[in-house]
CSV table of all heavy atoms in Angstrom, one decimal:
chain,number,residue,atom,x,y,z
A,75,ARG,N,0.9,-1.2,0.0
A,75,ARG,CA,0.0,0.0,0.0
A,75,ARG,C,0.8,1.3,0.0
A,75,ARG,O,0.5,2.2,-0.6
A,75,ARG,CB,-0.9,0.0,1.2
A,75,ARG,CG,-1.9,-1.1,1.2
A,75,ARG,CD,-2.8,-1.1,2.5
A,75,ARG,NE,-3.8,-2.2,2.5
A,75,ARG,CZ,-4.6,-2.4,3.5
A,75,ARG,NH1,-4.6,-1.6,4.6
A,75,ARG,NH2,-5.5,-3.3,3.4
A,76,ALA,N,2.0,1.1,0.7
A,76,ALA,CA,2.9,2.4,0.8
A,76,ALA,C,3.5,2.6,-0.6
A,76,ALA,O,3.6,3.7,-1.1
A,76,ALA,CB,4.0,2.1,1.8
A,77,LEU,N,3.9,1.4,-1.3
A,77,LEU,CA,4.4,1.6,-2.7
A,77,LEU,C,3.4,2.2,-3.6
A,77,LEU,O,3.8,3.1,-4.4
A,77,LEU,CB,4.8,0.1,-3.1
A,77,LEU,CG,6.0,-0.6,-2.4
A,77,LEU,CD1,6.0,-2.0,-2.8
A,77,LEU,CD2,7.2,0.1,-2.6
A,78,PHE,N,2.1,1.7,-3.5
A,78,PHE,CA,1.1,2.2,-4.4
A,78,PHE,C,0.8,3.7,-4.1
A,78,PHE,O,0.6,4.5,-5.1
A,78,PHE,CB,-0.2,1.4,-4.3
A,78,PHE,CG,-1.3,1.8,-5.2
A,78,PHE,CD1,-1.2,1.6,-6.6
A,78,PHE,CD2,-2.2,2.6,-4.6
A,78,PHE,CE1,-2.3,2.2,-7.4
A,78,PHE,CE2,-3.3,3.1,-5.4
A,78,PHE,CZ,-3.3,2.8,-6.8
A,79,GLY,N,0.9,4.0,-2.8
A,79,GLY,CA,0.6,5.4,-2.5
A,79,GLY,C,1.7,6.3,-2.9
A,79,GLY,O,1.3,7.4,-3.4
A,80,SER,N,2.8,5.9,-3.0
A,80,SER,CA,4.0,6.7,-3.5
A,80,SER,C,3.8,7.0,-5.0
A,80,SER,O,4.0,8.1,-5.4
A,80,SER,CB,5.3,6.0,-3.3
A,80,SER,OG,6.4,6.7,-3.8
A,81,ILE,N,3.5,5.9,-5.8
A,81,ILE,CA,3.2,6.2,-7.2
A,81,ILE,C,2.0,7.0,-7.3
A,81,ILE,O,2.1,7.9,-8.3
A,81,ILE,CB,3.0,4.8,-7.8
A,81,ILE,CG1,4.3,3.9,-7.7
A,81,ILE,CG2,2.6,5.0,-9.3
A,81,ILE,CD1,5.4,4.4,-8.5
A,82,LEU,N,1.0,6.9,-6.7
A,82,LEU,CA,-0.3,7.7,-6.8
A,82,LEU,C,0.1,9.2,-6.5
A,82,LEU,O,-0.4,10.0,-7.2
A,82,LEU,CB,-1.3,7.2,-5.8
A,82,LEU,CG,-2.7,7.9,-6.0
A,82,LEU,CD1,-3.2,7.7,-7.5
A,82,LEU,CD2,-3.8,7.3,-5.0
A,83,SER,N,1.0,9.5,-5.5
A,83,SER,CA,1.2,10.8,-5.1
A,83,SER,C,2.0,11.5,-6.3
A,83,SER,O,1.8,12.6,-6.6
A,83,SER,CB,2.1,10.9,-3.8
A,83,SER,OG,3.4,10.4,-4.1
A,84,VAL,N,2.9,10.7,-6.9
A,84,VAL,CA,3.6,11.3,-8.1
A,84,VAL,C,2.7,11.6,-9.2
A,84,VAL,O,2.8,12.6,-9.9
A,84,VAL,CB,4.7,10.2,-8.6
A,84,VAL,CG1,5.4,10.6,-9.9
A,84,VAL,CG2,5.7,10.1,-7.5
A,85,ALA,N,1.7,10.6,-9.5
A,85,ALA,CA,0.7,10.9,-10.5
A,85,ALA,C,-0.1,12.2,-10.4
A,85,ALA,O,-0.2,13.0,-11.2
A,85,ALA,CB,-0.3,9.7,-10.6
A,86,VAL,N,-0.6,12.3,-9.1
A,86,VAL,CA,-1.5,13.4,-8.8
A,86,VAL,C,-0.6,14.8,-8.9
A,86,VAL,O,-1.0,15.7,-9.5
A,86,VAL,CB,-2.0,13.4,-7.4
A,86,VAL,CG1,-2.8,14.7,-7.1
A,86,VAL,CG2,-3.1,12.2,-7.4
A,87,CYS,N,0.5,14.8,-8.3
A,87,CYS,CA,1.4,16.0,-8.3
A,87,CYS,C,1.9,16.4,-9.6
A,87,CYS,O,2.0,17.4,-10.0
A,87,CYS,CB,2.6,15.8,-7.3
A,87,CYS,SG,2.1,15.6,-5.6
A,88,GLY,N,2.2,15.3,-10.4
A,88,GLY,CA,2.7,15.6,-11.8
A,88,GLY,C,1.7,16.1,-12.7
A,88,GLY,O,1.9,17.2,-13.4
A,89,ILE,N,0.5,15.6,-12.7
A,89,ILE,CA,-0.6,16.1,-13.6
A,89,ILE,C,-1.0,17.5,-13.1
A,89,ILE,O,-1.1,18.4,-13.9
A,89,ILE,CB,-1.8,15.1,-13.6
A,89,ILE,CG1,-1.4,13.8,-14.2
A,89,ILE,CG2,-3.0,15.7,-14.4
A,89,ILE,CD1,-2.6,12.8,-14.0
A,90,LEU,N,-1.1,17.8,-11.8
A,90,LEU,CA,-1.6,19.1,-11.3
A,90,LEU,C,-0.5,20.1,-11.7
A,90,LEU,O,-0.8,21.2,-12.0
A,90,LEU,CB,-1.9,19.0,-9.9
A,90,LEU,CG,-3.1,18.3,-9.5
A,90,LEU,CD1,-3.3,18.4,-7.9
A,90,LEU,CD2,-4.4,18.8,-10.1
A,91,SER,N,0.8,19.7,-11.5
A,91,SER,CA,1.9,20.7,-11.8
A,91,SER,C,2.0,21.1,-13.3
A,91,SER,O,2.3,22.3,-13.5
A,91,SER,CB,3.2,20.0,-11.5
A,91,SER,OG,3.4,19.7,-10.1
A,92,GLY,N,1.5,20.2,-14.2
A,92,GLY,CA,1.6,20.5,-15.5
A,92,GLY,C,0.5,21.4,-16.0
A,92,GLY,O,0.5,22.1,-17.2
A,93,ILE,N,-0.6,21.6,-15.2
A,93,ILE,CA,-1.8,22.5,-15.7
A,93,ILE,C,-1.9,23.7,-14.8
A,93,ILE,O,-2.8,24.4,-14.9
A,93,ILE,CB,-3.0,21.6,-15.6
A,93,ILE,CG1,-3.3,21.2,-14.2
A,93,ILE,CG2,-3.0,20.5,-16.5
A,93,ILE,CD1,-4.7,20.5,-14.1
A,94,LEU,N,-0.9,24.1,-14.0
A,94,LEU,CA,-0.9,25.2,-13.2
A,94,LEU,C,-0.9,26.5,-14.0
A,94,LEU,O,-0.3,26.5,-15.1
A,94,LEU,CB,0.2,25.2,-12.2
A,94,LEU,CG,0.2,24.1,-11.0
A,94,LEU,CD1,1.6,24.2,-10.3
A,94,LEU,CD2,-1.0,24.4,-10.1
A,95,SER,N,-1.3,27.6,-13.6
A,95,SER,CA,-1.3,28.9,-14.3
A,95,SER,C,0.1,29.3,-14.2
A,95,SER,O,0.8,29.1,-13.2
A,95,SER,CB,-2.3,29.9,-13.5
A,95,SER,OG,-1.8,30.1,-12.1
A,96,ARG,N,0.5,30.1,-15.2
A,96,ARG,CA,1.9,30.6,-15.3
A,96,ARG,C,2.0,31.9,-14.6
A,96,ARG,O,2.5,33.0,-15.2
A,96,ARG,CB,2.2,30.7,-16.8
A,96,ARG,CG,2.0,29.5,-17.6
A,96,ARG,CD,2.3,29.6,-19.0
A,96,ARG,NE,3.8,29.7,-19.2
A,96,ARG,CZ,4.4,29.7,-20.5
A,96,ARG,NH1,3.7,29.6,-21.5
A,96,ARG,NH2,5.7,29.9,-20.5
A,97,ASP,N,1.8,32.0,-13.3
A,97,ASP,CA,1.9,33.2,-12.6
A,97,ASP,C,2.5,32.8,-11.1
A,97,ASP,O,2.8,31.6,-10.9
A,97,ASP,CB,0.6,33.9,-12.4
A,97,ASP,CG,-0.6,33.1,-12.0
A,97,ASP,OD1,-0.3,32.1,-11.2
A,97,ASP,OD2,-1.7,33.4,-12.1
A,98,PHE,N,2.7,33.9,-10.3
A,98,PHE,CA,3.2,33.6,-9.0
A,98,PHE,C,2.5,32.6,-8.2
A,98,PHE,O,3.0,31.7,-7.4
A,98,PHE,CB,3.4,34.9,-8.2
A,98,PHE,CG,4.3,34.7,-6.9
A,98,PHE,CD1,5.6,34.5,-7.1
A,98,PHE,CD2,3.6,34.9,-5.8
A,98,PHE,CE1,6.4,34.2,-5.9
A,98,PHE,CE2,4.3,34.7,-4.6
A,98,PHE,CZ,5.7,34.4,-4.7
A,99,THR,N,1.1,32.7,-8.4
A,99,THR,CA,0.2,31.8,-7.5
A,99,THR,C,0.5,30.3,-8.0
A,99,THR,O,0.6,29.4,-7.2
A,99,THR,CB,-1.2,32.1,-7.8
A,99,THR,OG1,-1.5,33.4,-7.4
A,99,THR,CG2,-2.2,31.2,-7.0
A,100,GLY,N,0.6,30.2,-9.4
A,100,GLY,CA,1.0,28.9,-9.9
A,100,GLY,C,2.3,28.3,-9.3
A,100,GLY,O,2.4,27.2,-9.0
A,101,PHE,N,3.3,29.2,-9.1
A,101,PHE,CA,4.6,28.9,-8.7
A,101,PHE,C,4.5,28.4,-7.2
A,101,PHE,O,5.1,27.4,-6.8
A,101,PHE,CB,5.5,30.1,-8.8
A,101,PHE,CG,6.9,29.8,-8.1
A,101,PHE,CD1,7.8,28.9,-8.7
A,101,PHE,CD2,7.2,30.4,-6.9
A,101,PHE,CE1,9.1,28.6,-8.2
A,101,PHE,CE2,8.5,30.2,-6.4
A,101,PHE,CZ,9.4,29.2,-7.0
A,102,ILE,N,3.6,29.1,-6.5
A,102,ILE,CA,3.5,28.7,-4.9
A,102,ILE,C,2.8,27.3,-4.9
A,102,ILE,O,3.3,26.4,-4.1
A,102,ILE,CB,2.6,29.7,-4.3
A,102,ILE,CG1,3.3,31.2,-4.2
A,102,ILE,CG2,2.2,29.4,-2.9
A,102,ILE,CD1,4.6,31.1,-3.5
A,103,LEU,N,1.8,27.1,-5.8
A,103,LEU,CA,1.1,25.8,-5.8
A,103,LEU,C,2.0,24.7,-6.2
A,103,LEU,O,2.1,23.6,-5.8
A,103,LEU,CB,-0.1,25.8,-6.6
A,103,LEU,CG,-1.3,26.8,-6.2
A,103,LEU,CD1,-2.3,26.8,-7.2
A,103,LEU,CD2,-1.8,26.2,-4.8
A,104,PHE,N,3.0,25.0,-7.3
A,104,PHE,CA,4.1,24.1,-7.7
A,104,PHE,C,4.9,23.8,-6.5
A,104,PHE,O,5.3,22.5,-6.4
A,104,PHE,CB,4.8,24.8,-8.7
A,104,PHE,CG,5.8,24.0,-9.4
A,104,PHE,CD1,5.5,22.8,-10.1
A,104,PHE,CD2,7.2,24.3,-9.4
A,104,PHE,CE1,6.5,22.0,-10.7
A,104,PHE,CE2,8.1,23.4,-10.0
A,104,PHE,CZ,7.8,22.3,-10.7
A,105,ASN,N,5.4,24.6,-5.6
A,105,ASN,CA,6.1,24.3,-4.5
A,105,ASN,C,5.3,23.3,-3.5
A,105,ASN,O,6.0,22.4,-3.0
A,105,ASN,CB,6.6,25.6,-3.8
A,105,ASN,CG,7.8,26.1,-4.3
A,105,ASN,OD1,8.9,25.7,-4.1
A,105,ASN,ND2,7.7,27.2,-5.2
A,106,ILE,N,4.1,23.6,-3.3
A,106,ILE,CA,3.2,22.8,-2.4
A,106,ILE,C,3.2,21.4,-2.9
A,106,ILE,O,3.4,20.4,-2.2
A,106,ILE,CB,2.0,23.4,-2.1
A,106,ILE,CG1,2.0,24.8,-1.4
A,106,ILE,CG2,0.9,22.4,-1.4
A,106,ILE,CD1,0.7,25.5,-1.3
A,107,LEU,N,2.9,21.3,-4.2
A,107,LEU,CA,2.8,20.0,-4.8
A,107,LEU,C,4.1,19.2,-4.7
A,107,LEU,O,4.2,18.0,-4.5
A,107,LEU,CB,2.4,20.1,-6.3
A,107,LEU,CG,1.0,20.6,-6.6
A,107,LEU,CD1,0.7,20.9,-8.0
A,107,LEU,CD2,0.0,19.4,-6.1
A,108,ASN,N,5.3,20.0,-5.0
A,108,ASN,CA,6.6,19.4,-5.0
A,108,ASN,C,7.0,18.9,-3.4
A,108,ASN,O,7.7,17.9,-3.3
A,108,ASN,CB,7.7,20.3,-5.4
A,108,ASN,CG,7.8,20.1,-6.9
A,108,ASN,OD1,8.6,19.2,-7.4
A,108,ASN,ND2,7.2,21.0,-7.7
A,109,PHE,N,6.4,19.5,-2.5
A,109,PHE,CA,6.6,19.2,-1.1
A,109,PHE,C,6.0,17.8,-0.9
A,109,PHE,O,6.6,16.8,-0.4
A,109,PHE,CB,6.1,20.2,-0.1
A,109,PHE,CG,6.0,19.7,1.3
A,109,PHE,CD1,7.2,19.7,2.0
A,109,PHE,CD2,4.9,19.2,1.9
A,109,PHE,CE1,7.3,19.3,3.3
A,109,PHE,CE2,4.9,18.7,3.1
A,109,PHE,CZ,6.1,18.8,4.0
A,110,PHE,N,4.7,17.7,-1.3
A,110,PHE,CA,4.1,16.3,-1.2
A,110,PHE,C,4.7,15.3,-2.1
A,110,PHE,O,4.6,14.1,-1.8
A,110,PHE,CB,2.6,16.6,-1.4
A,110,PHE,CG,1.9,17.2,-0.3
A,110,PHE,CD1,1.5,18.5,-0.5
A,110,PHE,CD2,1.6,16.6,0.9
A,110,PHE,CE1,0.7,19.2,0.6
A,110,PHE,CE2,1.0,17.2,2.0
A,110,PHE,CZ,0.6,18.6,1.8
A,111,PHE,N,5.2,15.7,-3.2
A,111,PHE,CA,5.8,14.7,-4.1
A,111,PHE,C,7.0,14.2,-3.4
A,111,PHE,O,7.3,13.0,-3.4
A,111,PHE,CB,6.3,15.5,-5.5
A,111,PHE,CG,7.0,14.6,-6.5
A,111,PHE,CD1,7.0,13.3,-6.4
A,111,PHE,CD2,7.5,15.3,-7.6
A,111,PHE,CE1,7.7,12.6,-7.4
A,111,PHE,CE2,8.2,14.6,-8.6
A,111,PHE,CZ,8.3,13.2,-8.4
A,112,GLY,N,7.8,15.1,-2.8
A,112,GLY,CA,9.1,14.7,-2.1
A,112,GLY,C,8.7,13.7,-0.9
A,112,GLY,O,9.4,12.8,-0.6
A,113,VAL,N,7.6,14.0,-0.2
A,113,VAL,CA,7.2,13.2,0.9
A,113,VAL,C,6.9,11.8,0.4
A,113,VAL,O,7.2,10.9,1.1
A,113,VAL,CB,6.0,13.8,1.6
A,113,VAL,CG1,5.3,12.9,2.6
A,113,VAL,CG2,6.3,15.2,2.4
A,114,GLY,N,6.3,11.8,-0.8
A,114,GLY,CA,5.9,10.4,-1.3
A,114,GLY,C,7.0,9.5,-1.7
A,114,GLY,O,6.8,8.3,-1.7
A,115,VAL,N,8.2,10.1,-2.1
A,115,VAL,CA,9.2,9.3,-2.7
A,115,VAL,C,9.8,8.2,-1.8
A,115,VAL,O,9.9,7.0,-2.2
A,115,VAL,CB,10.2,10.2,-3.3
A,115,VAL,CG1,11.6,9.5,-3.7
A,115,VAL,CG2,9.7,11.0,-4.5
């Protein structure tokens, strides 16, 4: 379950990172997503 959860966190963070707005708000959200991406690895 931990293995699957790690892969799932990468999937969610990756897709959401790719559709963020190209502004400072998007950059802040990108950092938040990358934090959870890092937690999942």
Side-chain angles (χ1 to χ4, degrees):
R75 295 179 180 177
L77 297 170
F78 179 75
S80 176
I81 296 294
L82 187 61
S83 71
V84 172
V86 173
C87 292
I89 293 172
L90 292 179
S91 294
I93 62 174
L94 291 171
S95 59
R96 306 181 66 171
D97 52 23
F98 187 71
T99 301
F101 176 71
I102 296 298
L103 293 174
F104 182 60
N105 275 281
I106 294 172
L107 289 170
N108 270 281
F109 172 78
F110 287 105
F111 182 10
V113 169
V115 168

